[in-house]
Amino acid sequence: MIGIVSRKHGIDFYKVWFAKEPFKKAGIIIYNQSGIKGKNSAEFDTLISDISVSPEEIKGAFSKNCRYKVNRAEREDVAIRFLENDEITDEEIETFLAFFKTFWESKGDRFTREEEVRRDLKAYRDSDALTFSIAKVKGEDAVYHTHIYDSERARLLHSASLYRLMGDEESDSRNIIGMGNRYLHYMDMLHYKEKGLKIYDWGGAGRGEDVISITEFKESFGGIPEKSYEYEEVRGVKAHIFKWLVDMLEDAML
């Protein structure tokens, strides 16, 4: 289980991942991918890969096309580096955020959650639960993955690549970046396997028109479906009073 906390208006707000039993501290608790079903919980669908098996078996679960692209990236000498916890300085976080903002803009979208992502990344880092992995293509950072992890599971938080910025005349670089993204996922799996983890969590699997292609990409690695639950729990008198006041204010503004 991973838990991070922030404090607002004298109330502790907890973000808890992968809980197998109720979180006992007072405050407002947001359960993410909980193994237990709470009041008014919503189901969360993801894909998971077994990384307790050998590297050959991990790669053997990939589709034929996925294996080819992973192997091709190895031959193209895509360079991989990992940063973990205290190696992830505030400056490294800012470098990632700038990369992530460029990634969103390359899709024609605006990145509007910068402060929230910065706060959460620092909290995960300070809880010894954060990894950055980066793939370099032709000496330039081309793909970033961020993961959170506990003693059993690593969960993909962000995946960003800049192949959309490559022009037609650089189609080879664009293709290598796409292959490098797959290769980086494979190296992520091996990294967490070496740490003794058992599960690689692909961070969600939707079937909506806007995300189905991403889900199909994840499925090409042989992940199997998993269902969990997400919900909010209010514990303690102060937290209940705060929640009641917030709800009253929201009702008054309708």
Side-chain angles (χ1 to χ4, degrees):
M1 184 177 72
I2 303 167
I4 60 173
V5 60
S6 59
R7 191 167 180 83
K8 304 175 188 175
H9 311 294
I11 304 297
D12 288 329
F13 289 78
Y14 294 94
K15 188 176 288 188
V16 176
W17 293 87
F18 321 133
K20 296 179 180 179
E21 57 186 31
F23 194 70
K24 299 297 187 181
K25 294 186 178 180
I28 295 178
I29 304 148
I30 306 298
Y31 288 91
N32 296 279
Q33 293 184 235
S34 172
I36 52 178
K37 192 173 184 178
K39 184 179 180 182
N40 299 319
S41 60
E43 292 184 346
F44 182 86
D45 294 312
T46 191
L47 298 167
I48 59 172
S49 295
D50 180 6
I51 57 173
S52 67
V53 297
S54 70
E56 293 75 21
E57 289 173 297
I58 291 173
K59 190 184 284 187
F62 300 174
S63 71
K64 182 178 180 180
N65 184 53
C66 183
R67 280 197 306 276
Y68 166 78
K69 291 180 177 179
V70 169
N71 292 336
R72 170 75 185 278
E74 289 178 319
R75 295 196 300 271
E76 293 289 347
D77 198 26
V78 174
I80 306 294
R81 69 185 179 107
F82 288 91
L83 298 171
E84 203 155 81
N85 299 323
D86 58 1
E87 297 174 328
I88 303 172
T89 63
D90 288 352
E91 290 76 16
E92 290 286 356
I93 289 175
E94 295 307 316
T95 298
F96 165 73
L97 288 171
F99 186 99
F100 201 50
K101 182 178 180 181
T102 302
F103 162 72
W104 274 89
E105 291 172 348
S106 75
K107 301 194 300 176
D109 295 327
R110 290 180 62 241
F111 179 38
T112 60
R113 298 174 49 245
E114 183 173 344
E115 186 52 44
E116 177 189 353
V117 173
R118 177 183 290 110
R119 182 184 65 244
D120 284 354
L121 290 176
K122 289 182 178 181
Y124 294 129
R125 175 198 63 190
D126 294 344
S127 298
D128 292 333
L130 180 65
T131 306
F132 284 0
S133 55
I134 305 104
K136 282 183 174 287
V137 173
K138 297 184 178 180
E140 298 291 333
D141 291 345
V143 186
Y144 258 93
H145 294 164
T146 75
H147 295 81
I148 55 174
Y149 67 95
D150 62 9
S151 61
E152 181 175 286
R153 172 187 302 243
R155 195 267 195 196
L156 180 66
L157 272 187
H158 309 102
S159 177
S161 54
L162 297 186
Y163 68 88
R164 290 182 179 86
L165 298 182
M166 296 294 175
D168 290 340
E169 71 279 4
E170 297 181 285
S171 60
D172 185 56
S173 293
R174 189 167 63 247
N175 289 336
I176 294 173
I177 291 171
M179 295 174 191
N181 185 29
R182 290 181 183 270
Y183 180 49
L184 186 57
H185 279 300
Y186 176 55
M187 296 304 290
D188 290 333
M189 292 178 181
L190 297 187
H191 174 78
Y192 292 113
K193 173 182 173 55
E194 289 175 2
K195 290 176 70 68
L197 278 62
K198 299 178 180 179
I199 298 169
Y200 186 81
D201 182 337
W202 288 92
R207 291 292 170 184
E209 184 177 343
D210 57 334
V211 295
I212 185 61
S213 62
I214 299 173
T215 297
E216 290 172 347
F217 169 85
K218 296 174 180 178
E219 287 175 334
S220 72
F221 290 84
I224 60 174
E226 181 191 71
K227 193 178 297 293
S228 56
Y229 303 96
E230 308 211 318
Y231 57 97
E232 178 183 274
E233 181 182 19
V234 182
R235 295 178 62 88
V237 174
K238 286 175 63 177
H240 276 283
I241 292 173
F242 175 83
K243 181 65 174 174
W244 178 78
L245 289 172
V246 169
D247 290 344
M248 288 286 288
L249 182 60
E250 289 178 351
D251 290 342
M253 295 176 67
L254 293 177

